[in-house]
Amino acid sequence: MASIKKPANSVSDDSDQTKTSSKSGISGETGSKKAHLVSQFFQFYQENPCPAALLFQNSLIATNKAFISLFPQIKQTNQIPLADVFKDNVLDEIRLLGNSGGDVRVSKEEIKIVTGSYLEKILLKLIPLAGNNFALLLFTAEYAAESQPLKSPLPGSTALSTVVDAILNNAPFGVFSYDKEGWLNYANPTFWQIFGYSDAEQTKINWFTLDTAIKQGVTEKLSRVFETGEQSFFDIEYVSSKEKHSFIKLFLLPIKGSDGKPETVVALVEDNTREKKIAADLERTRDLMKNLLDNVPDNIYFKDTQSRFILTSKAHAKVLGIHLPDDAIGKTDFDFYEEKHAHNAYNDEQRIIATGKALVDKTEKIISDNGSVRFVSSTKAPMYDSNGKIIGLVGISRNITDRVLVDEELVRVNESLTQSKIQLEEKTKKIEKVNAELEASQKELQEINASKDKFFSIIAHDLKSPFHGLLGLSSIMVEDADVLTCEESKHYLVTMNQTLRDTYNLIENLLSWSRLQTSRWQMLKENLNLWKEAHNLITMFEPVAIKKRITIINEVENGLFVTADSNMFHSMIQNLISNAVKFTPAEGTIRVSAKRENDVMQIKVSDTGLGMSPAEQELIFRIDKNHSTLGTAGEKGTGLGVLLVKEMMEKHDGKISVNSIKGKGTEFTLAFPVIG
């Protein structure tokens, strides 16, 4: 049960005030005061050997190192609820002290956390600070008489002892002392950490009877110091009771009494596990490097910043012509290779060292003293120290002579194949040209045959038929001249006249076509006034148009010209107007127009006649298909007119096209290139 020593002028419980402060939060003034007190606390109590804490509103807002040592299970150093440390009755007694202060004696059972097996009680002194909300708590621990805390291993004054304790408690190495019977008299925190003992195990450690120490030979070494009285230094591999493996260095210093014999031994302990591991790793790395350099067939080497060898593989030593790799140390390429190769290698390496950029897979040609040539693939990269400074380079090279020779042979073969391919392509082009010429000749021959067939067909039928008609009509007029009336005679004469006209036009077309086929038409191009040419041709067809009640309109604007052969141009327009008149019914209209679009002069002849289907439009340009249709007045045709226009347009590097709708009319377009 905690006992209270309370001054007479104490006041009642201030919990209500504390609760009010908690509810209302911390004001700016209180916060500033809190920060100041915390700063002052750490300044005066952080290194104080007396456990201390700063209390604010039932929480410890700052603690010193001695407090943490007293309560090692508390991991945080501030904002520790007092209720986590003491039981409720202790809290009530602390609150009763109010702002007057006083002492509270706390038994081991009234402490919620573990503090050590031999702690008996704690004397807690409460000192109010800056009003009712802040207080300083000082703790004095009392232990059982037979189990006092381990004391400093060195004698001296209280002040000196305090300094020594501070040093030992924060030392990076372990310190402990033991007596002749092996009992542990002192150990600093680092010692417990190294040997892996918990808080509950930190008392009554006897090294002479400790099972783990005996098994690992530590006991014998520790006890021998008392026998010899001499300092001892040794390494051990220690395994704690929790199977923690450590490599430990121990220095044992005997402290002698007045009789000159050791009374106690002070030991310094250093955990060498990390250094041992580093050394083992280095040894393993050296073994791996040695295996690599001794067994890899590639040439591996290391150089300093002056391009001097500092390490090389066995394979590279053999290439250099030396027995041992160490024989290359301190030497350069100039000691082993021809000057040109050594100079190039030196320049490459100095550039790597200056820029930090690696040289990757460079093919080098090396000529030996006996004149033999070999090729190597060389890769070099900079080496850095721990500060990132370039300290040299590492290189690896591989003999690729066979590969280079194969590549050179492949290049020669590829060049030969390329040349053969070029020759084959040239021959292929010649064959394709001959084939194209043959196809053109075949096409031309087919057209000639078709023209011949067409020509003979016209002569055999179209030219023969009109003469049969003329002979028949003339026979009637001769035999029946006496009995024919004037009207009948006139009718026969008009018919004969139309037949003669058609026959004449047919013969004209045949002659023109014949001249085109035999290339006997000498073209003479000139600038033709389109309006004038259209006017003259329309005038020529006016009698026929009037008779059929057809209107022919000249829509060509004056000032437009076309470069063409005059006779061919007349023949083309005449044929198109003649067809339009033939296939246009009474009251129909024929239009002749022209316009320039970019570098093309377009001349159109359109009508409102019978029109053509798409199939008929394809046939009118084919000489191998005999396509002829009767006109609206029964006029006969040969189908030769449009073909003649097409061939004449080709002579002018122009084109003819047709656009027709059955029952609505037809439009022919002649496209002449504009010259000049």
Side-chain angles (χ1 to χ4, degrees):
M1 180 69 179
S3 61
I4 304 174
K5 183 178 179 181
K6 185 174 181 182
N9 60 346
S10 64
V11 296
S12 61
D13 186 0
D14 64 346
S15 60
D16 292 339
Q17 182 180 357
T18 302
K19 292 176 182 177
T20 303
S21 298
S22 298
K23 290 180 180 178
S24 60
I26 301 174
S27 66
E29 181 181 356
T30 303
S32 176
K33 187 181 296 180
K34 176 182 176 181
H36 175 72
L37 289 173
V38 170
S39 176
Q40 293 293 313
F41 173 84
F42 284 123
Q43 181 178 352
F44 293 106
Y45 286 96
Q46 178 68 2
E47 303 298 336
N48 196 300
C50 176
L54 187 62
L55 177 66
F56 175 71
Q57 294 184 353
N58 296 325
S59 291
L60 303 180
I61 61 174
T63 59
N64 68 352
K65 292 181 179 178
F67 176 90
I68 298 301
S69 297
L70 182 61
F71 300 104
Q73 287 194 344
I74 297 178
K75 302 303 180 184
Q76 61 196 80
T77 59
N78 56 32
Q79 298 300 329
I80 305 168
L82 205 58
D84 290 350
V85 183
F86 301 111
K87 294 185 178 180
D88 292 343
N89 61 317
V90 178
L91 301 181
D92 292 339
E93 293 170 359
I94 292 174
R95 279 195 292 269
L96 288 173
L97 293 178
N99 61 356
S100 59
D103 296 338
V104 178
R105 195 170 296 277
V106 184
S107 68
K108 178 180 179 180
E109 289 75 17
E110 293 172 313
I111 302 173
K112 288 186 175 182
I113 56 180
V114 177
T115 59
S117 303
Y118 299 96
L119 179 69
E120 287 294 319
K121 59 185 69 175
I122 292 175
L123 177 63
L124 188 153
K125 181 179 287 296
L126 185 143
I127 304 173
L129 300 172
N132 298 335
N133 291 331
F134 297 92
L136 177 65
L137 296 181
L138 301 177
F139 301 82
T140 301
E142 297 182 11
Y143 296 87
E146 70 276 11
S147 305
Q148 292 297 324
L150 300 178
K151 298 178 180 179
S152 171
L154 301 176
S157 65
T158 303
L160 178 61
S161 179
T162 301
V163 173
V164 171
D165 283 344
I167 294 173
L168 295 179
N169 286 336
N170 294 280
F173 50 85
V175 180
F176 71 96
S177 66
Y178 61 96
D179 58 21
K180 294 179 181 180
E181 286 75 31
W183 292 106
L184 193 64
N185 297 323
Y186 170 83
N188 70 345
T190 305
F191 167 83
W192 303 117
Q193 182 180 357
I194 291 174
F195 282 94
Y197 289 104
S198 65
D199 297 338
E201 297 171 323
Q202 290 180 10
T203 57
K204 290 196 172 182
I205 296 293
N206 189 306
W207 285 104
F208 296 170
T209 60
L210 191 65
D211 186 54
T212 55
I214 295 172
K215 286 182 178 178
Q216 295 171 75
V218 179
T219 297
E220 181 183 354
K221 291 182 174 66
L222 294 177
S223 61
R224 189 180 298 125
V225 178
F226 285 100
E227 298 172 2
T228 63
E230 296 178 353
Q231 298 177 3
S232 177
F233 181 81
F234 57 90
D235 294 341
I236 62 170
E237 182 178 356
Y238 185 78
V239 182
S240 71
S241 59
K242 295 181 175 60
E243 300 299 324
K244 178 186 177 184
H245 289 256
S246 302
F247 292 95
I248 298 172
K249 288 184 177 181
L250 288 99
F251 175 71
L252 306 180
L253 176 65
I255 305 297
K256 298 178 181 180
S258 57
D259 59 357
K261 295 181 180 181
E263 292 182 349
T264 185
V265 175
V266 176
L268 302 181
V269 184
E270 182 181 1
D271 188 346
N272 199 34
T273 305
R274 182 172 179 272
E275 288 73 12
K276 281 282 188 179
K277 183 178 184 303
I278 292 173
D281 289 343
L282 286 174
E283 185 67 26
R284 182 169 179 271
T285 300
R286 280 194 293 268
D287 290 342
L288 291 174
M289 178 65 75
K290 188 175 186 304
N291 274 286
L292 176 69
L293 296 179
D294 288 349
N295 298 296
V296 171
D298 291 334
N299 306 321
I300 302 174
Y301 51 88
F302 298 84
K303 293 184 177 182
D304 62 17
T305 55
Q306 301 302 315
S307 293
R308 295 174 297 210
F309 290 106
I310 57 178
L311 186 64
T312 187
S313 65
K314 279 188 176 181
H316 191 229
K318 184 177 180 181
V319 170
L320 296 177
I322 56 180
H323 295 291
L324 298 174
D326 289 348
D327 293 342
I329 296 176
K331 297 181 180 179
T332 68
D333 286 339
F334 289 95
D335 296 309
F336 302 103
Y337 297 107
E338 55 153 340
E339 185 175 355
K340 182 179 179 181
H341 172 72
H343 187 72
N344 291 336
Y346 178 81
N347 288 339
D348 287 340
E349 291 164 2
Q350 292 305 304
R351 186 161 46 250
I352 292 169
I353 292 169
T355 64
K357 294 182 178 179
L359 178 71
V360 180
D361 199 22
K362 178 183 179 181
T363 299
E364 298 176 337
K365 182 179 181 180
I366 301 174
I367 302 175
S368 302
D369 293 337
N370 60 8
S372 62
V373 177
R374 61 189 174 90
F375 295 89
V376 298
S377 172
S378 181
T379 295
K380 302 175 183 179
M383 291 192 304
Y384 298 87
D385 62 12
S386 58
N387 297 319
K389 181 182 177 182
I390 295 177
I391 58 173
L393 62 89
V394 57
I396 180 169
S397 63
R398 175 176 298 174
N399 192 325
I400 58 169
T401 304
D402 292 341
R403 191 182 79 187
V404 171
L405 294 177
V406 170
D407 288 344
E408 289 178 351
E409 181 62 25
L410 287 175
V411 169
R412 286 193 293 271
V413 172
N414 188 52
E415 288 176 352
S416 177
L417 290 174
T418 301
Q419 188 62 33
S420 299
K421 181 183 177 183
I422 293 172
Q423 294 174 355
L424 182 60
E425 288 176 349
E426 290 176 353
K427 291 181 179 180
T428 301
K429 288 180 180 179
K430 289 181 180 179
I431 293 173
E432 289 176 349
K433 183 179 179 181
V434 171
N435 287 336
E437 291 174 352
L438 288 174
E439 289 178 1
S441 299
Q442 184 179 8
K443 183 178 180 181
E444 184 179 359
L445 182 60
Q446 289 174 348
E447 291 177 352
I448 291 172
N449 288 332
S451 299
K452 179 191 67 175
D453 293 341
K454 183 73 173 179
F455 185 79
F456 286 125
S457 173
I458 292 170
I459 293 175
H461 182 269
D462 293 338
L463 191 58
K464 181 179 179 181
S465 295
F467 281 105
H468 279 298
L470 288 173
L471 289 173
L473 288 173
S474 62
S475 296
I476 291 173
M477 292 191 70
V478 171
E479 293 174 0
D480 299 334
D482 296 334
V483 296
L484 290 174
T485 63
C486 291
E487 288 296 326
E488 289 175 334
S489 296
K490 185 178 180 180
H491 171 72
Y492 289 138
L493 288 173
V494 168
T495 302
M496 290 174 65
N497 180 262
Q498 183 61 46
T499 302
L500 287 171
R501 284 180 181 277
D502 292 341
T503 304
Y504 176 79
N505 289 335
L506 174 60
I507 292 173
E508 278 291 318
N509 283 338
L510 284 172
L511 291 174
S512 297
W513 182 62
S514 175
R515 289 201 301 273
L516 287 173
Q517 298 303 313
T518 56
S519 301
R520 288 181 299 163
W521 194 318
Q522 298 298 320
M523 289 183 62
L524 181 62
K525 291 184 179 181
E526 56 183 303
N527 285 332
L528 303 177
N529 186 308
L530 288 177
W531 183 89
K532 182 178 179 181
E533 297 296 331
H535 175 74
N536 292 337
L537 289 169
I538 290 172
T539 301
M540 185 176 71
F541 281 95
E542 276 186 355
V544 181
I546 292 171
K547 182 177 179 181
K548 291 190 68 172
R549 301 198 305 277
I550 296 172
T551 302
I552 304 177
I553 303 173
N554 183 1
E555 294 184 343
V556 178
E557 295 181 3
N558 204 355
L560 294 178
F561 290 84
V562 67
T563 302
D565 180 270
S566 177
N567 291 328
M568 286 190 184
F569 184 80
H570 292 162
S571 178
M572 287 187 284
I573 302 301
Q574 183 177 337
N575 268 294
L576 294 179
I577 294 177
S578 175
N579 280 343
V581 170
K582 183 189 299 182
F583 297 110
T584 300
E587 311 303 332
T589 302
I590 299 172
R591 300 176 187 274
V592 180
S593 62
K595 68 174 181 178
R596 176 171 175 170
E597 288 189 359
N598 299 323
D599 294 332
V600 176
M601 182 63 70
Q602 293 185 349
I603 302 169
K604 298 179 183 292
V605 177
S606 61
D607 61 60
T608 58
L610 300 177
M612 291 180 286
S613 66
E616 290 174 322
Q617 293 177 51
E618 291 182 4
L619 292 176
I620 61 174
F621 294 114
R622 294 182 59 177
I623 194 170
D624 58 331
K625 301 292 182 181
N626 188 10
H627 178 71
S628 179
T629 306
L630 294 177
T632 55
E635 300 98 327
K636 294 182 179 180
T638 62
L640 190 61
V642 175
L643 288 172
L644 185 63
V645 174
K646 178 177 178 294
E647 294 196 16
M648 288 181 174
M649 284 301 297
E650 290 174 354
K651 294 289 184 181
H652 284 81
D653 298 322
K655 293 181 180 180
I656 180 174
S657 60
V658 62
N659 183 20
S660 182
I661 299 176
K662 192 74 171 177
K664 291 189 176 182
T666 301
E667 179 182 80
F668 282 94
T669 301
L670 304 181
F672 286 87
V674 176
I675 300 175

